[in-house]
Structure formats: C-alpha cells, structure tokens
Amino acid sequence: MIVAQISDIRPKRTGTKFGQAPVLRLRTPLIVKAADKPARPSLINPPYRSKFRLRTRLRASCPRVILSMQRRQVLADAASLPMQTFETESGGYTKSFLLVRMTVFLSILLGYACYYLTRNSLTFTAPAMVASPALGLDITSIGVITSIFPLCYGCSKFVSGVVGDVLSPSIMLGGGLMATGLVNVAFGASSTLPVFCFLWAGNGILQGFGAPSCAKILTSWFAAKERGTYWGMWNIAHNLGGFAAPILAGTAARTLGWNWGLWAPGIIALSVGLLIILTLKDSPEARGFSPVEHLEGIASLFS
C-alpha cells in the first residue's frame, strides 16, 4: 500500500438549494507525496506467494500424511498378531495351520530317515571294503569299527538330552544331520583303520542328536490328544531309513566303488540337513501361529 500525505486543503462552501446538503469544494488540488518509508510488498508478491502456497500445501497434505501413518500402524499391528490356529466356528484347526504342520511333520520324518542312511551305510559297504585290496581290511577289522558305534551312540543319548534343552531343536536336527553326513564323506575319503574307528565313533555320537530334537518339535506342534497318533506315524522313519540304506549304499558301493557307498548317503544327509535348518520352525509361535495348547489349561488338569 502507498502511504501519502495530503496538504493545503482549504474547503470552500458553495451555495445550496432548499433541501440539499452543502457541498465542499477544494480551492487547491490535492498534492500527494510519497512517504519516506519504503512501500510494503503486497501479499501477492513472489516471496509471500511462495510461502502462502507452501503453507497451503502443508495444510492440505497433513491429513494425507496422518492417514498414511495410521495405515502403516494398522498394517504393522495386523502383521504382529498371530495367525489363527483354530477356526472360530467349528473349533478345529485352520487349513493354513494344517498345511504348515504337515510340512513340519514330513520334515522331521524325512530328516530322521536320513539319519538311518548315514547310520547303516557302513553295514552295506563293508563287503566292498573287504574286497578292496588297497585297504587291507578283513572281517575282524570291520567288526572293530562297527563295535565302537553302539557304545558311542549310547553315551550320546545322555549328552543330546542336555544339548536339546539349550539348542534350537531344528538347528540340532539339521545340524546333527549335516555333521553325520560330513563324517560319512570323510570316512569314504580315508584309508586307514585308526581313522575309520575315530570317524565312526564320531558318527555314533552325532546319531544321538536326531530323536530328542524330533520329539521336541513334535510335542510343540501337536496337542496331547493327538500326539500318540503322530508319534507312531513318525516311527515309520526307522523303517524308511532302513529300507533305503541297503538300496542306496549297497548299489553305490557295488557300481561306483566302496567310497560311494558312504559318499552317497553323506551327500543326501548334507542336502536334507541344510533344507531343515532353512525351513523348519521349532513351534507354531515361531511360524506366526498361536500355540496348540495353553499352559493354563494344562496346569488346570493337575490342580
């Protein structure tokens, strides 16, 4: 706005008619002088216009930002909630939970069956080892090697129970399977009796890591009312491993050499053990489901 000063104004009264208001006329013209103060920029000037636009945009975008933050919070809260294990209407398990639990059961079934592959591989490779003149072994040597195994396997059951309370059961199952697979591979690459005895003793110790971890996983995923059924089905792993061991180890030793009678089960154990470590979860809670049993309900049974 422009500030001006008006000077030398002498009003002159003119004549009026009856009923009219008097009129004042200026004898000298108005003299408008600019003030010494600088003119204040208008609100439509660029600086004020940009600030005005910025404030308008911020005010318009604030509700959007708040809505987006609320949506993110809702999504985060929904993701943190456990998935449903039971259906609200029927009370049975949901289809998603049953599918995931079946994959868990097949994992522990296949994993423990692979333990039997690496456990019985020497039994069906021994004839090829005795027939190999480069090793210089006889039936007595094979008897010494195999007699060490049950002693170490029995001792490992005490150790594996303590370790199972500390380690994750999935890591224990998969890691023990990979370790016994490495022992089989190293056994196939050896050629002296002392090394054979040492490696097969280590295999006996590692074999005890399979059953406790499977029992702990099965207990977490299956309720007490159905645990006996699935425990009996899981015991099929003994028969599956015992069925596959002579076919795999015996055929590989006869066609490819005695080394492959131990390398083939060892490679399979390494692959399955790695898959178990990467995919298997210890409990429904680790997979995002609610537990199959509540501790309060179990405690009320004993009260």
Short mmCIF file of all heavy atoms in Angstrom, two decimals, residues 54-114:
data_model
loop_
_atom_site.label_atom_id
_atom_site.label_comp_id
_atom_site.label_asym_id
_atom_site.label_seq_id
_atom_site.Cartn_x
_atom_site.Cartn_y
_atom_site.Cartn_z
N LEU A 54 3.24 -22.75 0.13
CA LEU A 54 3.85 -23.81 0.93
C LEU A 54 2.99 -24.16 2.13
O LEU A 54 2.76 -25.33 2.44
CB LEU A 54 5.24 -23.38 1.38
CG LEU A 54 6.03 -24.37 2.24
CD1 LEU A 54 6.22 -25.68 1.47
CD2 LEU A 54 7.36 -23.79 2.66
N ARG A 55 2.48 -23.11 2.80
CA ARG A 55 1.63 -23.37 3.95
C ARG A 55 0.34 -24.08 3.52
O ARG A 55 -0.15 -24.98 4.20
CB ARG A 55 1.29 -22.06 4.66
CG ARG A 55 2.49 -21.42 5.35
CD ARG A 55 2.12 -20.06 5.91
NE ARG A 55 3.28 -19.42 6.52
CZ ARG A 55 3.28 -18.18 7.00
NH1 ARG A 55 2.16 -17.44 6.92
NH2 ARG A 55 4.37 -17.66 7.55
N THR A 56 -0.19 -23.67 2.38
CA THR A 56 -1.42 -24.30 1.89
C THR A 56 -1.20 -25.77 1.56
O THR A 56 -2.02 -26.63 1.89
CB THR A 56 -1.94 -23.56 0.65
OG1 THR A 56 -2.08 -22.18 0.96
CG2 THR A 56 -3.28 -24.13 0.20
N ARG A 57 -0.07 -26.03 0.91
CA ARG A 57 0.24 -27.42 0.58
C ARG A 57 0.45 -28.27 1.84
O ARG A 57 0.02 -29.42 1.90
CB ARG A 57 1.47 -27.49 -0.31
CG ARG A 57 1.24 -26.94 -1.71
CD ARG A 57 2.52 -26.94 -2.51
NE ARG A 57 2.32 -26.36 -3.83
CZ ARG A 57 3.32 -26.16 -4.70
NH1 ARG A 57 4.57 -26.49 -4.37
NH2 ARG A 57 3.06 -25.64 -5.88
N LEU A 58 1.16 -27.69 2.82
CA LEU A 58 1.39 -28.43 4.05
C LEU A 58 0.08 -28.73 4.76
O LEU A 58 -0.14 -29.84 5.27
CB LEU A 58 2.33 -27.65 4.97
CG LEU A 58 3.80 -27.58 4.52
CD1 LEU A 58 4.59 -26.71 5.47
CD2 LEU A 58 4.40 -28.97 4.47
N ARG A 59 -0.81 -27.70 4.79
CA ARG A 59 -2.10 -27.94 5.45
C ARG A 59 -2.92 -28.98 4.71
O ARG A 59 -3.63 -29.77 5.31
CB ARG A 59 -2.87 -26.63 5.55
CG ARG A 59 -2.27 -25.63 6.53
CD ARG A 59 -3.00 -24.31 6.47
NE ARG A 59 -2.38 -23.33 7.39
CZ ARG A 59 -2.75 -22.06 7.46
NH1 ARG A 59 -3.72 -21.60 6.67
NH2 ARG A 59 -2.14 -21.26 8.31
N ALA A 60 -2.82 -28.96 3.37
CA ALA A 60 -3.58 -29.93 2.58
C ALA A 60 -3.00 -31.34 2.69
O ALA A 60 -3.72 -32.33 2.63
CB ALA A 60 -3.63 -29.50 1.13
N SER A 61 -1.65 -31.44 2.83
CA SER A 61 -1.01 -32.75 2.86
C SER A 61 -0.98 -33.37 4.26
O SER A 61 -0.75 -34.56 4.39
CB SER A 61 0.43 -32.64 2.34
OG SER A 61 1.19 -31.77 3.16
N CYS A 62 -1.20 -32.57 5.30
CA CYS A 62 -1.17 -33.11 6.66
C CYS A 62 -2.18 -34.23 6.87
O CYS A 62 -1.84 -35.27 7.43
CB CYS A 62 -1.37 -31.99 7.68
SG CYS A 62 0.14 -31.05 8.01
N PRO A 63 -3.42 -34.08 6.44
CA PRO A 63 -4.35 -35.22 6.62
C PRO A 63 -3.90 -36.48 5.89
O PRO A 63 -4.07 -37.58 6.39
CB PRO A 63 -5.67 -34.68 6.06
CG PRO A 63 -5.54 -33.20 6.17
CD PRO A 63 -4.10 -32.91 5.93
N ARG A 64 -3.32 -36.29 4.68
CA ARG A 64 -2.84 -37.46 3.95
C ARG A 64 -1.71 -38.16 4.69
O ARG A 64 -1.64 -39.38 4.76
CB ARG A 64 -2.38 -37.06 2.56
CG ARG A 64 -3.50 -36.46 1.70
CD ARG A 64 -2.96 -36.05 0.34
NE ARG A 64 -4.00 -35.43 -0.48
CZ ARG A 64 -3.77 -34.93 -1.70
NH1 ARG A 64 -2.56 -35.00 -2.21
NH2 ARG A 64 -4.77 -34.39 -2.36
N VAL A 65 -0.78 -37.36 5.22
CA VAL A 65 0.34 -37.94 5.96
C VAL A 65 -0.16 -38.69 7.19
O VAL A 65 0.29 -39.79 7.52
CB VAL A 65 1.35 -36.84 6.36
CG1 VAL A 65 2.43 -37.41 7.26
CG2 VAL A 65 1.96 -36.22 5.11
N ILE A 66 -1.13 -38.09 7.88
CA ILE A 66 -1.67 -38.73 9.08
C ILE A 66 -2.37 -40.03 8.72
O ILE A 66 -2.22 -41.05 9.39
CB ILE A 66 -2.63 -37.77 9.80
CG1 ILE A 66 -1.85 -36.56 10.35
CG2 ILE A 66 -3.38 -38.49 10.91
CD1 ILE A 66 -2.72 -35.49 10.93
N LEU A 67 -3.12 -40.01 7.60
CA LEU A 67 -3.80 -41.23 7.17
C LEU A 67 -2.82 -42.33 6.79
O LEU A 67 -3.01 -43.50 7.11
CB LEU A 67 -4.73 -40.92 6.00
CG LEU A 67 -6.01 -40.14 6.33
CD1 LEU A 67 -6.76 -39.82 5.05
CD2 LEU A 67 -6.88 -40.93 7.28
N SER A 68 -1.75 -41.92 6.07
CA SER A 68 -0.75 -42.93 5.68
C SER A 68 -0.05 -43.51 6.91
O SER A 68 0.21 -44.72 6.97
CB SER A 68 0.27 -42.31 4.74
OG SER A 68 0.99 -41.27 5.39
N MET A 69 0.25 -42.67 7.90
CA MET A 69 0.86 -43.18 9.12
C MET A 69 -0.08 -44.11 9.87
O MET A 69 0.34 -45.13 10.41
CB MET A 69 1.28 -42.01 10.02
CG MET A 69 2.41 -41.16 9.44
SD MET A 69 2.78 -39.73 10.46
CE MET A 69 3.34 -40.51 11.95
N GLN A 70 -1.37 -43.77 9.88
CA GLN A 70 -2.33 -44.64 10.53
C GLN A 70 -2.46 -45.97 9.81
O GLN A 70 -2.57 -47.03 10.43
CB GLN A 70 -3.69 -43.95 10.60
CG GLN A 70 -3.72 -42.75 11.55
CD GLN A 70 -5.07 -42.05 11.52
OE1 GLN A 70 -5.91 -42.33 10.66
NE2 GLN A 70 -5.26 -41.12 12.44
N ARG A 71 -2.42 -45.93 8.47
CA ARG A 71 -2.49 -47.18 7.71
C ARG A 71 -1.28 -48.07 8.00
O ARG A 71 -1.41 -49.28 8.16
CB ARG A 71 -2.57 -46.88 6.22
CG ARG A 71 -3.91 -46.29 5.79
CD ARG A 71 -3.88 -45.90 4.33
NE ARG A 71 -5.13 -45.28 3.92
CZ ARG A 71 -5.33 -44.75 2.71
NH1 ARG A 71 -4.36 -44.78 1.81
NH2 ARG A 71 -6.49 -44.20 2.41
N ARG A 72 -0.11 -47.44 8.03
CA ARG A 72 1.10 -48.21 8.34
C ARG A 72 1.03 -48.83 9.73
O ARG A 72 1.44 -49.97 9.94
CB ARG A 72 2.33 -47.32 8.22
CG ARG A 72 2.64 -46.88 6.80
CD ARG A 72 3.85 -45.97 6.76
NE ARG A 72 4.13 -45.51 5.41
CZ ARG A 72 5.11 -44.65 5.09
NH1 ARG A 72 5.90 -44.18 6.08
NH2 ARG A 72 5.30 -44.29 3.85
N GLN A 73 0.51 -48.08 10.68
CA GLN A 73 0.39 -48.60 12.05
C GLN A 73 -0.58 -49.77 12.10
O GLN A 73 -0.35 -50.77 12.79
CB GLN A 73 -0.05 -47.48 13.00
CG GLN A 73 -0.07 -47.90 14.45
CD GLN A 73 1.31 -48.22 14.98
OE1 GLN A 73 2.30 -47.65 14.52
NE2 GLN A 73 1.40 -49.15 15.91
N VAL A 74 -1.69 -49.64 11.36
CA VAL A 74 -2.68 -50.72 11.33
C VAL A 74 -2.09 -51.97 10.69
O VAL A 74 -2.28 -53.09 11.18
CB VAL A 74 -3.95 -50.26 10.58
CG1 VAL A 74 -4.87 -51.45 10.31
CG2 VAL A 74 -4.68 -49.21 11.37
N LEU A 75 -1.34 -51.79 9.58
CA LEU A 75 -0.71 -52.93 8.93
C LEU A 75 0.33 -53.57 9.84
O LEU A 75 0.46 -54.81 9.88
CB LEU A 75 -0.08 -52.50 7.61
CG LEU A 75 -1.07 -52.08 6.51
CD1 LEU A 75 -0.30 -51.56 5.30
CD2 LEU A 75 -1.97 -53.24 6.12
N ALA A 76 1.09 -52.74 10.55
CA ALA A 76 2.10 -53.30 11.45
C ALA A 76 1.45 -54.07 12.60
O ALA A 76 1.93 -55.14 12.99
CB ALA A 76 2.99 -52.17 12.00
N ASP A 77 0.35 -53.52 13.13
CA ASP A 77 -0.35 -54.24 14.20
C ASP A 77 -0.95 -55.54 13.71
O ASP A 77 -0.93 -56.56 14.41
CB ASP A 77 -1.45 -53.35 14.79
CG ASP A 77 -0.88 -52.12 15.48
OD1 ASP A 77 0.32 -52.16 15.84
OD2 ASP A 77 -1.61 -51.13 15.64
N ALA A 78 -1.47 -55.51 12.47
CA ALA A 78 -2.05 -56.74 11.91
C ALA A 78 -0.98 -57.79 11.65
O ALA A 78 -1.21 -58.99 11.82
CB ALA A 78 -2.80 -56.42 10.62
N ALA A 79 0.21 -57.33 11.22
CA ALA A 79 1.28 -58.29 10.98
C ALA A 79 1.82 -58.90 12.26
O ALA A 79 2.29 -60.03 12.27
CB ALA A 79 2.42 -57.60 10.21
N SER A 80 1.76 -58.13 13.35
CA SER A 80 2.26 -58.64 14.63
C SER A 80 1.31 -59.61 15.30
O SER A 80 1.71 -60.37 16.17
CB SER A 80 2.56 -57.48 15.57
OG SER A 80 1.38 -56.75 15.85
N LEU A 81 0.04 -59.59 14.90
CA LEU A 81 -0.92 -60.51 15.51
C LEU A 81 -0.67 -61.93 15.02
O LEU A 81 -0.34 -62.15 13.85
CB LEU A 81 -2.35 -60.09 15.15
CG LEU A 81 -2.85 -58.76 15.74
CD1 LEU A 81 -4.23 -58.43 15.21
CD2 LEU A 81 -2.88 -58.83 17.26
N PRO A 82 -0.81 -62.93 15.88
CA PRO A 82 -0.60 -64.31 15.44
C PRO A 82 -1.71 -64.77 14.51
O PRO A 82 -2.86 -64.36 14.63
CB PRO A 82 -0.60 -65.10 16.76
CG PRO A 82 -1.39 -64.25 17.70
CD PRO A 82 -1.12 -62.83 17.31
N MET A 83 -1.33 -65.63 13.55
CA MET A 83 -2.32 -66.21 12.67
C MET A 83 -3.19 -67.20 13.44
O MET A 83 -2.79 -67.74 14.45
CB MET A 83 -1.63 -66.88 11.49
CG MET A 83 -0.96 -65.91 10.54
SD MET A 83 -0.27 -66.72 9.08
CE MET A 83 1.17 -67.51 9.82
N GLN A 84 -4.37 -67.42 12.90
CA GLN A 84 -5.32 -68.26 13.61
C GLN A 84 -4.93 -69.73 13.48
O GLN A 84 -4.68 -70.22 12.38
CB GLN A 84 -6.73 -68.05 13.04
CG GLN A 84 -7.33 -66.70 13.37
CD GLN A 84 -8.77 -66.58 12.90
OE1 GLN A 84 -9.28 -67.48 12.25
NE2 GLN A 84 -9.41 -65.48 13.22
N THR A 85 -4.90 -70.39 14.60
CA THR A 85 -4.66 -71.84 14.63
C THR A 85 -5.98 -72.59 14.63
O THR A 85 -6.08 -73.66 14.01
CB THR A 85 -3.83 -72.20 15.87
OG1 THR A 85 -2.59 -71.48 15.83
CG2 THR A 85 -3.54 -73.69 15.90
N PHE A 86 -6.98 -72.04 15.29
CA PHE A 86 -8.28 -72.70 15.39
C PHE A 86 -9.33 -71.85 14.69
O PHE A 86 -9.26 -70.62 14.71
CB PHE A 86 -8.67 -72.90 16.87
CG PHE A 86 -7.69 -73.72 17.65
CD1 PHE A 86 -6.71 -73.11 18.41
CD2 PHE A 86 -7.74 -75.10 17.62
CE1 PHE A 86 -5.80 -73.86 19.13
CE2 PHE A 86 -6.85 -75.86 18.35
CZ PHE A 86 -5.87 -75.25 19.10
N GLU A 87 -10.30 -72.50 14.09
CA GLU A 87 -11.43 -71.82 13.49
C GLU A 87 -12.41 -71.39 14.58
O GLU A 87 -12.64 -72.12 15.55
CB GLU A 87 -12.14 -72.74 12.50
CG GLU A 87 -11.29 -73.07 11.28
CD GLU A 87 -12.03 -73.94 10.30
OE1 GLU A 87 -13.14 -74.39 10.65
OE2 GLU A 87 -11.50 -74.18 9.20
N THR A 88 -12.98 -70.21 14.40
CA THR A 88 -13.87 -69.66 15.42
C THR A 88 -15.21 -70.40 15.49
O THR A 88 -15.81 -70.50 16.55
CB THR A 88 -14.11 -68.17 15.14
OG1 THR A 88 -14.63 -68.03 13.79
CG2 THR A 88 -12.82 -67.38 15.27
N GLU A 89 -15.68 -70.92 14.37
CA GLU A 89 -16.99 -71.56 14.36
C GLU A 89 -16.92 -73.03 14.80
O GLU A 89 -17.59 -73.43 15.75
CB GLU A 89 -17.60 -71.47 12.95
CG GLU A 89 -17.85 -70.03 12.50
CD GLU A 89 -18.43 -69.98 11.11
OE1 GLU A 89 -18.59 -71.06 10.49
OE2 GLU A 89 -18.72 -68.86 10.64
N SER A 90 -16.11 -73.80 14.10
CA SER A 90 -16.06 -75.24 14.40
C SER A 90 -15.11 -75.59 15.54
O SER A 90 -15.26 -76.63 16.18
CB SER A 90 -15.65 -76.01 13.14
OG SER A 90 -14.34 -75.62 12.72
N GLY A 91 -14.12 -74.76 15.79
CA GLY A 91 -13.15 -75.04 16.84
C GLY A 91 -12.01 -75.93 16.39
O GLY A 91 -11.12 -76.22 17.18
N GLY A 92 -12.03 -76.38 15.14
CA GLY A 92 -10.94 -77.20 14.64
C GLY A 92 -9.78 -76.37 14.11
O GLY A 92 -9.81 -75.13 14.14
N TYR A 93 -8.76 -77.04 13.62
CA TYR A 93 -7.61 -76.34 13.08
C TYR A 93 -7.96 -75.70 11.74
O TYR A 93 -8.75 -76.23 10.96
CB TYR A 93 -6.44 -77.31 12.90
CG TYR A 93 -5.89 -77.87 14.18
CD1 TYR A 93 -5.92 -79.24 14.43
CD2 TYR A 93 -5.33 -77.05 15.15
CE1 TYR A 93 -5.42 -79.77 15.60
CE2 TYR A 93 -4.82 -77.56 16.33
CZ TYR A 93 -4.87 -78.93 16.55
OH TYR A 93 -4.37 -79.43 17.72
N THR A 94 -7.31 -74.57 11.47
CA THR A 94 -7.49 -73.92 10.18
C THR A 94 -6.71 -74.66 9.10
O THR A 94 -5.78 -75.41 9.38
CB THR A 94 -7.02 -72.46 10.25
OG1 THR A 94 -5.63 -72.43 10.64
CG2 THR A 94 -7.84 -71.68 11.27
N LYS A 95 -7.10 -74.42 7.84
CA LYS A 95 -6.44 -75.11 6.73
C LYS A 95 -4.97 -74.69 6.59
O LYS A 95 -4.10 -75.50 6.29
CB LYS A 95 -7.19 -74.83 5.43
CG LYS A 95 -8.58 -75.43 5.39
CD LYS A 95 -9.26 -75.16 4.05
CE LYS A 95 -10.64 -75.79 4.00
NZ LYS A 95 -11.33 -75.53 2.71
N SER A 96 -4.72 -73.41 6.82
CA SER A 96 -3.34 -72.93 6.72
C SER A 96 -2.45 -73.57 7.77
O SER A 96 -1.31 -73.96 7.49
CB SER A 96 -3.30 -71.40 6.85
OG SER A 96 -3.85 -70.99 8.09
N PHE A 97 -2.97 -73.72 8.98
CA PHE A 97 -2.18 -74.34 10.04
C PHE A 97 -1.94 -75.81 9.76
O PHE A 97 -0.84 -76.33 9.98
CB PHE A 97 -2.87 -74.17 11.39
CG PHE A 97 -2.16 -74.85 12.53
CD1 PHE A 97 -1.02 -74.30 13.08
CD2 PHE A 97 -2.64 -76.04 13.05
CE1 PHE A 97 -0.36 -74.92 14.11
CE2 PHE A 97 -1.99 -76.67 14.09
CZ PHE A 97 -0.84 -76.11 14.63
N LEU A 98 -2.97 -76.51 9.28
CA LEU A 98 -2.80 -77.93 8.96
C LEU A 98 -1.78 -78.15 7.85
O LEU A 98 -0.99 -79.10 7.89
CB LEU A 98 -4.15 -78.53 8.56
CG LEU A 98 -5.18 -78.71 9.67
CD1 LEU A 98 -6.50 -79.20 9.11
CD2 LEU A 98 -4.66 -79.67 10.73
N LEU A 99 -1.76 -77.24 6.87
CA LEU A 99 -0.79 -77.36 5.78
C LEU A 99 0.63 -77.17 6.28
O LEU A 99 1.54 -77.94 5.94
CB LEU A 99 -1.12 -76.35 4.69
CG LEU A 99 -0.22 -76.35 3.46
CD1 LEU A 99 -0.25 -77.69 2.75
CD2 LEU A 99 -0.60 -75.22 2.50
N VAL A 100 0.83 -76.14 7.10
CA VAL A 100 2.17 -75.88 7.63
C VAL A 100 2.60 -77.01 8.56
O VAL A 100 3.76 -77.46 8.53
CB VAL A 100 2.18 -74.52 8.36
CG1 VAL A 100 3.52 -74.30 9.06
CG2 VAL A 100 1.93 -73.39 7.38
N ARG A 101 1.69 -77.50 9.37
CA ARG A 101 2.05 -78.57 10.30
C ARG A 101 2.38 -79.87 9.58
O ARG A 101 3.23 -80.64 10.03
CB ARG A 101 0.90 -78.78 11.29
CG ARG A 101 1.29 -79.64 12.48
CD ARG A 101 0.20 -79.73 13.50
NE ARG A 101 -0.92 -80.54 13.05
CZ ARG A 101 -1.86 -81.02 13.87
NH1 ARG A 101 -1.82 -80.72 15.16
NH2 ARG A 101 -2.86 -81.74 13.41
N MET A 102 1.73 -80.13 8.45
CA MET A 102 2.05 -81.33 7.69
C MET A 102 3.45 -81.24 7.09
O MET A 102 4.18 -82.25 7.06
CB MET A 102 1.01 -81.52 6.58
CG MET A 102 1.19 -82.80 5.78
SD MET A 102 1.23 -84.29 6.81
CE MET A 102 -0.42 -84.24 7.54
N THR A 103 3.85 -80.05 6.64
CA THR A 103 5.22 -79.89 6.15
C THR A 103 6.24 -80.08 7.26
O THR A 103 7.33 -80.63 7.04
CB THR A 103 5.39 -78.51 5.51
OG1 THR A 103 5.09 -77.49 6.47
CG2 THR A 103 4.47 -78.34 4.31
N VAL A 104 5.90 -79.64 8.48
CA VAL A 104 6.80 -79.84 9.62
C VAL A 104 6.94 -81.33 9.92
O VAL A 104 8.04 -81.84 10.16
CB VAL A 104 6.28 -79.07 10.85
CG1 VAL A 104 7.07 -79.45 12.10
CG2 VAL A 104 6.37 -77.57 10.62
N PHE A 105 5.82 -82.03 9.90
CA PHE A 105 5.86 -83.47 10.19
C PHE A 105 6.67 -84.22 9.13
O PHE A 105 7.47 -85.12 9.47
CB PHE A 105 4.44 -84.02 10.26
CG PHE A 105 4.37 -85.49 10.53
CD1 PHE A 105 4.59 -85.98 11.81
CD2 PHE A 105 4.10 -86.40 9.51
CE1 PHE A 105 4.54 -87.35 12.07
CE2 PHE A 105 4.05 -87.76 9.76
CZ PHE A 105 4.27 -88.23 11.04
N LEU A 106 6.49 -83.89 7.87
CA LEU A 106 7.26 -84.55 6.81
C LEU A 106 8.75 -84.22 6.92
O LEU A 106 9.60 -85.05 6.58
CB LEU A 106 6.72 -84.13 5.44
CG LEU A 106 5.31 -84.63 5.10
CD1 LEU A 106 4.88 -84.08 3.74
CD2 LEU A 106 5.25 -86.15 5.10
N SER A 107 9.06 -83.03 7.41
CA SER A 107 10.47 -82.64 7.57
C SER A 107 11.17 -83.49 8.62
O SER A 107 12.28 -83.99 8.40
CB SER A 107 10.57 -81.16 7.93
OG SER A 107 10.05 -80.35 6.89
N ILE A 108 10.51 -83.66 9.77
CA ILE A 108 11.15 -84.47 10.82
C ILE A 108 11.15 -85.95 10.45
O ILE A 108 12.05 -86.70 10.83
CB ILE A 108 10.48 -84.23 12.19
CG1 ILE A 108 9.01 -84.64 12.17
CG2 ILE A 108 10.62 -82.78 12.61
CD1 ILE A 108 8.32 -84.52 13.51
N LEU A 109 10.15 -86.37 9.68
CA LEU A 109 10.11 -87.76 9.22
C LEU A 109 11.25 -88.05 8.25
O LEU A 109 11.99 -89.03 8.40
CB LEU A 109 8.76 -88.06 8.58
CG LEU A 109 8.55 -89.47 8.02
CD1 LEU A 109 8.49 -90.49 9.16
CD2 LEU A 109 7.27 -89.53 7.19
N LEU A 110 11.41 -87.17 7.27
CA LEU A 110 12.48 -87.35 6.29
C LEU A 110 13.85 -87.15 6.92
O LEU A 110 14.82 -87.85 6.59
CB LEU A 110 12.28 -86.37 5.13
CG LEU A 110 13.30 -86.41 4.01
CD1 LEU A 110 13.32 -87.76 3.32
CD2 LEU A 110 13.03 -85.30 2.99
N GLY A 111 13.93 -86.18 7.84
CA GLY A 111 15.22 -85.92 8.48
C GLY A 111 15.73 -87.10 9.28
O GLY A 111 16.90 -87.48 9.18
N TYR A 112 14.83 -87.70 10.07
CA TYR A 112 15.29 -88.84 10.87
C TYR A 112 15.53 -90.08 10.01
O TYR A 112 16.36 -90.92 10.36
CB TYR A 112 14.29 -89.15 11.97
CG TYR A 112 14.88 -90.00 13.07
CD1 TYR A 112 15.86 -89.47 13.92
CD2 TYR A 112 14.49 -91.32 13.25
CE1 TYR A 112 16.42 -90.25 14.91
CE2 TYR A 112 15.05 -92.10 14.25
CZ TYR A 112 16.02 -91.56 15.08
OH TYR A 112 16.60 -92.33 16.06
N ALA A 113 14.82 -90.21 8.90
CA ALA A 113 15.09 -91.31 7.98
C ALA A 113 16.49 -91.18 7.38
O ALA A 113 17.19 -92.19 7.17
CB ALA A 113 14.04 -91.35 6.88
N CYS A 114 16.92 -89.94 7.14
CA CYS A 114 18.29 -89.73 6.62
C CYS A 114 19.35 -90.05 7.67
O CYS A 114 20.48 -90.40 7.31
CB CYS A 114 18.44 -88.29 6.13
SG CYS A 114 17.52 -87.94 4.62
#
